[in-house]
Amino acid sequence: MAKLFEPITLGNLTLANRIVIAPMCQYSAEDGRMTDWHAMHLGNLAQSGAGILTIEATAVSAEGRISYADVGLWNDETEQAMAKVLDSVRRWSDMPIAIQLAHAGRKASTAKPWDGGGQIAPDAENGWQTVSASNLPFLPDENAPEALDKAGLDRIREAFADAARRAARLGIDAVQIHGAHGYLLHQFLSPLSNKREDEYGGSLENRMRFPLEVYDAVRAAFPADRPVTMRVSGTDWAEGGWDIEQTIAFAKALEARGCAAYHVSSGGLDAGQKIPVGPNYQVPLARKVKEAVSMPVIAVGLITEPEQAEAIVATGEADMIGLARTVLYDPRWPWHAAAALGATVKAAPQFLRCQPRVYKDLFVQA
């Protein structure tokens, strides 16, 4: 059997294969509430045959949204809207569903990408004051964030925990905490964005402190038999920034706390980043982490071909692969990968008759 299609277990959750549908923002929510777009989008991906589907970056507070159109899970209204979507998706799919809990920090208060994606000023429509580890803006011409004080840290830590409790009530199978791409927890981790002089800044131990506190709060709030994972940027791709050695140290600290998996991406923190983009460009970061820890590691980034994905997991560079833009472009990518690799994949009975004649054993009825 192709390694990509072998089952894998995260905590007490067993996935049918190693394909993870990564979180992808849709910028289609209303005051944090999911809409019919999300039912259509997630329902489509829930028929893909992947091992697990991850709900897009979900803000734990209104100020934590990247844009005013981001999904949230911070009150009863956002929880009820998500429940409606999940009920619809689950009616037709038993694919495990994870959620990425996030806070954008200084990269919040933006326009939708197709409207330019720039920061919206606090006093403008759809804008608000951002917060961060320090009062350094992402771009020099942007409104500076407010540096979080102890009360602010307490508020955000509890917001993550509250969102995790809501996710548990919704029956979500796993939580991923967003510590990557230059958002709030990454802003604490990187010395380029964290210039604090208290116990949350300076040394690596101090810079990891708040993200680890958030992990502990989420882990305590989410049922013990369901996995909690973390997504990180393996490097800032910028001199003097967060790097792979610090990423490994963070991974070891999380593993000691029972983290179920570590999703290694990169970049997003510094506007001067120099990223060598190309197929597999982030896989070496995942491989270095995998060599240092025993928890499952997920690789992501320009993984587009079935043989490419199979090689990553078969050679032990990572335990799973994450798909984002690839699966937006081809929502049946896992079907096509199974066909190319001689594997089988679950398909809804409504789709069984589309099985190509040359792949007589491709589909297993869901």
Side-chain angles (χ1 to χ4, degrees):
M1 179 186 289
K3 186 74 173 178
L4 187 64
F5 286 88
E6 288 184 2
I8 187 169
T9 299
L10 307 180
N12 293 328
L13 178 64
T14 298
L15 310 183
N17 58 55
R18 311 299 182 94
I19 302 169
V20 176
I21 295 183
M24 293 170 281
C25 289
Q26 297 296 293
Y27 308 100
S28 299
E30 298 172 353
D31 294 323
R33 301 187 306 273
M34 282 187 166
T35 62
D36 288 346
W37 175 265
H38 297 95
M40 181 171 66
H41 166 66
L42 294 173
N44 182 31
L45 294 180
Q47 299 297 336
S48 68
I52 190 167
L53 168 61
T54 313
I55 294 170
E56 66 190 83
T58 300
V60 299
S61 65
E63 72 176 12
R65 292 173 294 171
I66 303 167
S67 81
Y68 64 91
D70 281 19
V71 168
L73 189 56
W74 66 74
N75 58 19
D76 291 346
E77 289 73 25
T78 53
E79 182 179 343
Q80 289 161 8
M82 188 173 289
K84 181 180 177 183
V85 168
L86 289 174
D87 286 347
S88 177
V89 173
R90 290 193 178 111
R91 191 170 300 125
W92 303 105
S93 172
D94 63 357
M95 182 182 292
I97 298 175
I99 190 170
Q100 184 186 69
L101 298 182
H103 192 297
R106 70 181 186 179
K107 292 180 76 175
S109 186
T110 69
K112 298 176 183 179
W114 51 85
D115 292 330
Q119 188 188 63
I120 299 174
D123 57 354
E125 184 181 6
N126 295 321
W128 61 89
Q129 176 61 48
T130 63
V131 298
S132 185
S134 302
N135 62 348
L136 302 173
F138 178 65
L139 296 172
D141 61 345
E142 291 183 344
N143 177 70
E146 293 180 351
L148 287 159
D149 58 14
K150 287 292 184 64
L153 294 177
D154 291 345
R155 183 183 72 249
I156 290 173
R157 190 187 306 109
E158 177 52 31
F160 270 94
D162 181 62
R165 285 188 285 269
R166 293 180 184 278
R169 285 202 295 268
L170 290 167
I172 286 171
D173 298 287
V175 163
Q176 181 188 94
I177 302 170
H178 201 352
H181 300 165
Y183 299 122
L184 182 64
L185 299 185
H186 189 179
Q187 290 159 30
F188 273 86
L189 291 171
S190 177
L192 296 178
S193 50
N194 184 345
K195 303 296 183 182
R196 299 175 73 97
E197 297 180 352
D198 61 4
E199 67 268 36
Y200 293 100
S203 68
L204 174 60
E205 180 183 8
N206 283 359
R207 285 182 280 114
M208 294 194 308
R209 191 182 309 277
F210 185 61
L212 290 174
E213 287 179 356
V214 168
Y215 172 85
D216 289 342
V218 170
R219 180 63 282 177
F222 200 59
D225 62 345
R226 300 188 220 172
V228 175
T229 72
M230 176 73 74
R231 189 174 199 181
V232 296
S233 283
T235 175
D236 287 340
W237 301 112
E239 186 175 353
W242 182 255
D243 56 26
I244 189 60
E245 287 75 22
Q246 295 173 88
T247 299
I248 290 170
F250 189 45
K252 290 179 176 178
L254 285 163
E255 183 171 48
R257 286 166 161 77
C259 186
Y262 203 58
H263 187 141
V264 183
S265 188
S266 71
L269 181 113
D270 189 273
Q273 63 188 11
K274 294 179 173 59
I275 305 178
V277 176
N280 282 20
Y281 74 102
Q282 295 174 143
V283 174
L285 300 169
R287 182 180 66 244
K288 289 181 179 179
V289 172
K290 183 166 168 53
E291 290 169 352
V293 298
S294 59
M295 65 179 165
V297 174
I298 305 165
V300 69
L302 284 181
I303 301 170
T304 59
E305 303 303 320
E307 296 80 6
Q308 175 191 11
E310 172 67 11
I312 291 167
V313 295
T315 61
E317 292 186 286
D319 299 284
M320 294 174 279
I321 59 104
L323 301 178
R325 291 170 177 85
T326 294
V327 82
L328 280 184
Y329 184 73
D330 179 6
R332 298 292 181 267
W333 190 93
W335 289 12
H336 303 146
L341 299 172
T344 60
V345 67
K346 287 174 68 173
Q350 294 91 334
F351 293 147
L352 294 178
R353 63 181 174 173
C354 79
Q355 177 175 276
R357 297 177 71 180
V358 294
Y359 303 118
K360 297 186 184 302
D361 299 313
L362 175 61
F363 288 158
V364 175
Q365 184 172 332

